[in-house]
Amino acid sequence: MSLANKNNIQRKDWMVQKGQQVEAKHVKTGSQWQFLVVLFTLVSQISLAQKTIVALTSDKKEIGKDEHLTFTITSNVEGSMKIDYPVEFEVDLGVMHGMEQKMDPSGKIKTYYYMQQSGAFKKEGTYSFYAYTTYRNKTYRSNKITIKVNEASEEDKINSNDPVFGVIQCKKLCVYEGEPILLKAKVFSYMNIEYLEGYSDFKADVSMEEHTFPNSRVEVEQTRINGKDALMFEYGKQLLIPISTGKCHVKPFEMALRCHGSIFSKTIRIRSSGLVINIKPLPANAPTDFIGAVGEYRFSQKNPTKEVKEGEVFTLELVVSGVGNIHNSNAPKLKLPKGCSIYGDPEKLDDIDFTENGSEGMITYRFNIQVLNDHDLNFQAPSISYFDPEKEKYITIRGNPFKVEVVPDKTFNAVIVTNPTDGTHTDVTDLKNGTVRTKVTKSESSSINTRLILGIVAPTSLLGALFVFLMIRKRKKKDLAVIEANDSIELPKGPVFLAESKEPVVAEAIDYWTEAEKHIEDPSVFAILLPKAIIQRIEKCEKCNFQSREKAFDRLLDTHPEIAKSLREIIDLCDQYRYGFGGGHLETKEIFAHTEKLFSQLPS
């Protein structure tokens, strides 16, 4: 074989080996790519399977029956959320939805969606349940949560280790019937408070008069509790006046606060501790002139003119003033001398306000007294008794004795028949209807005296009564003329409550928009009126009467979401200023103009 042929054969063998090596390398590379594709697919599927997160949490794990708690569902996908509550759980109507963004350990910003809902268990027991989120037609289940519900204790306990908690503040836990009690909602927080979102006041479970004071701007103070720095503020002042005895359970107040956490703000709902007040009956053996007043009082009088004509009516004016339960007190009892009679019930003129100390003010009583004989009248000092809860005893206060000189009038014929054995009775003329009624002061007269009265005295009495009736009618006309001349002097006709005015009640609803515009220079009043004006305008636009802000904005969100969002921000600004949670200044004119512009975009 020649050398050239040998070289050609070696070259062909080398080329075949090289081709085989290249082919084997391609096969190996293809396998690697196939493996990478499969691995990427598996990783993608695993990552997708871990993507949806649903977490269910609660603010308490062990509670009492009827005690409120809040559940929160958190998910990283925006889907439909639902909690599978047990039938024993009573859900509140309010539901809060929100969104928060947080940074994960790798530094990426992730968005989480949450829903909060509150309620209370109506039966003790242990309950376990789940929450669900539906996203892209697929339902994802949360972790299981277990709540233990115990029988409610006599008085709700408070855990001062909670980030926010409340107590009902009361100076005395044992009071007398009729003694006013002032309660305050006091809130402590270890977190920075931005604004108040909702408040439900406390209620008493026995017969109590309840008078709630309007909340002014809240002042937040720095304090220390349990060795920690905290914020504190008072809210929800309420005056209770017991009208029965026994134990009074005051149910806790509830509140929702927007607080600033370490990274994001969140809403915290709290339920305060409860309160038990013991109401004692008043001591026995009350004085005969006790008027039912409990508190601290004064007594004064305005005597009539010294000289009164026989048969005429004069006025004695007594004034009771002080603080306590004066609005529930009775009229003083007069001890009249012989020869006069009270004409009708006394006039009662009230000038009373409800303050933090109780019902405070004065009541004027005007007694109309008719003179029935021609002798001077000597009146004993009028008196009243009240119960002082601080001294725990009845106090009697007196006026001054006085004398009324009577000028005889021969035309007045009030017949008095005296019998040495049987006593005296007097025919008294009733000024209301001009009739004659007989009042027997001792035992009945004998049949002989009866016949004497019927045969002789009765006709004379009838003539005298007729004459008196004509005189009284003439006097009434004169009195009416005096009353008409004094019509310009208006007196209060009943108790004046804190939330009312002495002016006649206006039947029309208040136009809060106009009122807010009037008080645009007063930010404190403006911050109260503008949110009410916004809700009122929404009600007019939607032609529906909503009972809360949430319902009004839920309706507006369906039709005009952007406007609803802007109006909600305006209300939040007013609330922040009003409640003092960081709002130092309120641009009232700019806010009012912006609000007016937003409403101009809504159909009227």
Side-chain angles (χ1 to χ4, degrees):
M1 181 180 293
S2 64
L3 182 60
N5 290 335
K6 187 176 181 180
N7 290 336
N8 287 335
I9 292 172
Q10 289 178 348
R11 189 180 294 109
K12 287 180 181 180
D13 292 338
W14 179 82
M15 291 178 67
V16 170
Q17 291 177 358
K18 197 68 173 175
Q20 291 176 346
Q21 290 176 359
V22 171
E23 183 178 357
K25 186 177 181 180
H26 284 171
V27 171
K28 182 178 180 181
T29 303
S31 299
Q32 291 176 345
W33 275 107
Q34 289 177 356
F35 174 74
L36 289 175
V37 170
V38 172
L39 180 62
F40 178 77
T41 302
L42 290 173
V43 171
S44 300
Q45 290 177 351
I46 293 173
S47 62
L48 287 174
Q50 294 178 342
K51 184 177 181 180
T52 303
I53 299 173
V54 182
L56 176 61
T57 59
S58 67
D59 55 353
K60 299 173 185 177
K61 294 297 178 68
E62 184 172 348
I63 60 172
K65 188 179 72 173
D66 294 326
E67 182 178 349
H68 274 59
L69 76 163
T70 301
F71 292 99
T72 303
I73 312 174
T74 305
S75 179
N76 57 349
V77 295
E78 188 176 11
S80 175
M81 298 180 177
K82 179 184 177 182
I83 302 177
D84 188 16
Y85 293 114
V87 294
E88 293 83 0
F89 186 77
E90 187 175 288
V91 184
D92 291 344
L93 295 178
V95 179
M96 179 173 292
H97 294 272
M99 179 189 72
E100 289 185 353
Q101 290 184 326
K102 295 183 179 180
M103 184 180 295
D104 64 6
S106 65
K108 294 182 179 180
I109 300 296
K110 291 189 176 182
T111 302
Y112 294 92
Y113 304 88
Y114 66 88
M115 181 190 79
Q116 285 185 341
Q117 196 167 21
S118 300
F121 285 95
K122 297 300 178 182
K123 186 178 180 182
E124 60 271 14
T126 302
Y127 303 93
S128 299
F129 48 94
Y130 299 88
Y132 299 89
T133 295
T134 302
Y135 177 67
R136 293 182 179 177
N137 297 323
K138 189 173 181 180
T139 301
Y140 301 91
R141 190 174 74 174
S142 73
N143 56 294
K144 182 171 71 173
I145 192 168
T146 300
I147 305 295
K148 185 178 181 181
V149 182
N150 303 316
E151 183 66 30
S153 59
E154 182 73 13
E155 182 176 348
D156 293 324
K157 302 296 182 182
I158 184 166
N159 183 6
S160 60
N161 293 323
D162 292 341
V164 183
F165 58 94
V167 296
I168 301 176
Q169 190 178 40
C170 180
K171 290 184 178 180
K172 297 172 68 175
L173 296 179
C174 186
V175 297
Y176 284 97
E177 180 182 1
E179 182 181 358
I181 315 163
L182 181 66
L183 303 183
K184 299 178 183 179
K186 198 167 187 178
V187 180
F188 296 89
S189 175
Y190 297 117
M191 304 176 67
N192 291 325
I193 305 172
E194 294 180 355
Y195 55 89
L196 185 148
E197 291 188 336
Y199 172 73
S200 176
D201 58 5
F202 27 74
K203 297 290 182 183
D205 65 348
V206 300
S207 297
M208 285 271 195
E209 284 188 29
E210 299 182 6
H211 302 277
T212 303
F213 298 113
N215 293 298
S216 58
R217 189 180 179 191
V218 177
E219 298 294 336
V220 181
E221 302 176 1
Q222 294 281 349
T223 187
R224 285 186 66 83
I225 185 168
N226 296 330
K228 300 179 183 178
D229 292 329
L231 300 175
M232 183 273 293
F233 66 90
E234 293 179 352
Y235 197 76
K237 296 179 182 178
Q238 192 167 344
L239 181 72
L240 301 182
I241 301 179
I243 56 178
S244 64
T245 59
K247 283 189 176 181
C248 172
H249 295 77
V250 181
K251 297 181 180 179
F253 68 85
E254 297 178 27
M255 185 177 289
L257 294 168
R258 191 68 176 172
C259 299
H260 185 72
S262 57
I263 301 178
F264 302 102
S265 298
K266 61 180 179 179
T267 298
I268 296 181
R269 299 180 184 274
I270 65 170
R271 186 171 186 260
S272 74
S273 60
L275 200 65
V276 178
I277 301 173
N278 185 30
I279 304 168
K280 301 182 293 185
L282 296 178
N285 302 320
T288 56
D289 57 358
F290 177 55
I291 61 173
V294 179
E296 185 177 354
Y297 296 93
R298 296 173 299 278
F299 185 53
S300 62
Q301 70 186 74
K302 181 180 179 182
N303 294 335
T305 56
K306 291 185 177 181
E307 190 174 276
V308 178
K309 195 174 182 180
E310 182 185 1
E312 289 186 344
V313 175
F314 64 89
T315 300
L316 171 65
E317 191 171 280
L318 302 179
V319 179
V320 179
S321 59
V323 59
N325 67 336
I326 186 173
H327 63 297
N328 289 332
S329 61
N330 303 316
K333 300 173 184 178
L334 287 184
K335 295 179 181 179
L336 298 179
K338 291 182 180 180
C340 63
S341 175
I342 295 178
Y343 164 45
D345 296 327
E347 298 178 59
K348 182 180 178 182
L349 306 176
D350 297 336
D351 185 8
I352 297 173
D353 287 328
F354 285 90
T355 68
E356 295 184 9
N357 297 318
S359 59
E360 187 172 357
M362 60 187 295
I363 303 178
T364 301
Y365 296 96
R366 292 176 178 171
F367 295 87
N368 296 313
I369 303 173
Q370 182 187 16
V371 178
L372 298 175
N373 61 19
D374 59 354
H375 301 296
D376 293 346
L377 302 175
N378 293 300
F379 286 82
Q380 298 179 19
S383 65
I384 64 168
S385 292
Y386 66 91
F387 183 77
D388 189 329
E390 298 298 328
K391 298 178 181 178
E392 295 189 289
K393 66 179 182 177
Y394 292 100
I395 306 294
T396 300
I397 48 180
R398 302 181 184 276
N400 299 312
F402 62 95
K403 180 180 179 180
V404 174
E405 297 178 359
V406 179
V407 178
D409 184 1
K410 294 181 180 180
T411 60
F412 179 73
N413 189 14
V415 180
I416 301 176
V417 178
T418 303
N419 186 295
T421 304
D422 299 325
T424 303
H425 70 270
T426 304
D427 289 333
V428 181
T429 303
D430 190 333
L431 298 183
K432 291 183 178 179
N433 52 33
T435 60
V436 178
R437 56 188 175 89
T438 300
K439 182 177 180 182
V440 179
T441 58
K442 291 190 179 180
S443 62
E444 296 182 354
S445 302
S446 64
S447 59
I448 297 174
N449 288 335
T450 303
R451 287 196 297 270
L452 178 65
I453 295 171
L454 292 175
I456 300 174
V457 178
T460 308
S461 299
L462 290 173
L463 290 174
L466 179 62
F467 185 77
V468 172
F469 171 73
L470 294 175
M471 288 187 63
I472 293 171
R473 186 175 180 182
K474 182 178 179 181
R475 180 178 177 81
K476 280 187 176 181
K477 291 182 179 180
K478 184 178 178 181
D479 291 343
L480 288 173
V482 174
I483 292 173
E484 290 176 358
N486 295 330
D487 275 346
S488 58
I489 304 175
E490 295 183 358
L491 294 172
K493 298 181 179 180
V496 180
F497 296 94
L498 186 68
E500 300 175 347
S501 67
K502 298 181 183 179
E503 300 296 329
V505 178
V506 180
E508 298 179 358
I510 299 175
D511 186 351
Y512 288 110
W513 187 265
T514 304
E515 292 299 317
E517 190 173 13
K518 288 180 182 177
H519 295 85
I520 202 166
E521 299 295 338
D522 188 347
S524 298
V525 179
F526 179 83
I528 297 173
L529 294 173
L530 186 61
K532 296 182 179 180
I534 291 174
I535 301 302
Q536 193 176 61
R537 290 287 291 270
I538 293 175
E539 290 177 342
K540 288 181 180 179
C541 294
E542 298 292 338
K543 297 179 180 180
C544 183
N545 184 18
F546 305 105
Q547 297 299 321
S548 66
R549 292 182 182 179
E550 288 72 20
K551 292 181 180 179
F553 278 104
D554 286 344
R555 175 70 65 86
L556 193 62
L557 278 169
D558 295 336
T559 56
H560 302 83
E562 294 300 325
I563 296 178
K565 181 180 178 182
S566 300
L567 291 174
R568 184 74 201 195
E569 290 175 351
I570 292 173
I571 288 182
D572 289 343
L573 282 175
C574 292
D575 286 346
Q576 290 176 25
Y577 178 82
R578 180 183 174 189
Y579 300 122
F581 300 137
H585 183 64
L586 195 67
E587 299 290 346
T588 56
K589 294 182 180 179
E590 289 79 358
I591 291 174
F592 189 81
H594 181 50
T595 308
E596 195 169 25
K597 182 179 179 181
L598 291 172
F599 275 112
S600 66
Q601 302 173 26
L602 294 175
S604 57

